[in-house]
Amino acid sequence: MVESNSEFIIMRGDAFFNNPNHVGGQLETEGLKIRINDIDMGTVSSQTFKVPSHKEFSIPLTVNIPSKKLLNLNTLSSILNSVLNKGMQVQYKGDIKYTLFGFSHQYQIDDIQDIKIKL
């Protein structure tokens, strides 16, 4: 979590990839949705990134969670439980588009991570 105000809570993280191929390309998210503790929170945004050849790389992702969404009793309970247990489950689901030499292909992402909260 990097910022919070009356409208949004802003979270940032990195997505890690490995390109074992001889050529690079471009990568962009297309409506990648995020769920925290099985609750829909918002859509991930990122810029288009160049994919290096033969390298591991990461791209920064930003999620703006509407503060109104947190006023829901189930959401508040889930967040409080996450803070007390110092961890939460984050799911990323949607498509990532990879473009190379003018051709593009979409890859479906459905990944769940357990995130530790540092207080």
Side-chain angles (χ1 to χ4, degrees):
M1 188 178 318
V2 293
E3 185 182 334
S4 65
N5 56 46
S6 62
E7 291 184 56
F8 292 101
I9 292 177
I10 300 168
M11 297 178 74
R12 287 199 183 117
D14 291 320
F16 295 94
F17 298 92
N18 179 33
N19 181 14
N21 301 309
H22 295 287
V23 294
Q26 289 187 332
L27 196 66
E28 63 183 284
T29 62
E30 298 241 335
L32 199 59
K33 298 198 183 292
I34 188 169
R35 294 175 57 90
I36 298 176
N37 296 336
D38 289 326
I39 299 171
D40 289 324
M41 288 294 179
T43 302
V44 174
S45 62
S46 76
Q47 301 173 356
T48 300
F49 288 88
K50 290 186 177 183
V51 175
S53 60
H54 286 294
K55 288 188 181 177
E56 293 181 358
F57 64 100
S58 66
I59 60 172
L61 302 173
T62 301
V63 178
N64 292 334
I65 301 169
S67 297
K68 291 179 184 177
K69 204 171 263 265
L70 299 179
L71 297 177
N72 177 308
L73 194 54
N74 288 335
T75 304
L76 287 172
S77 173
S78 176
I79 290 171
L80 180 58
N81 188 35
S82 291
V83 171
L84 293 174
N85 291 318
K86 297 184 180 176
M88 67 176 70
Q89 188 179 70
V90 179
Q91 179 183 20
Y92 304 93
K93 190 170 185 172
D95 294 327
I96 290 181
K97 185 167 85 172
Y98 180 72
T99 304
L100 175 65
F101 303 129
F103 297 99
S104 63
H105 183 74
Q106 291 194 53
Y107 295 92
Q108 289 186 335
I109 302 294
D110 189 356
D111 188 46
I112 297 174
Q113 295 179 334
D114 292 317
I115 307 294
K116 294 191 187 278
I117 298 174
K118 296 178 184 177
L119 300 175

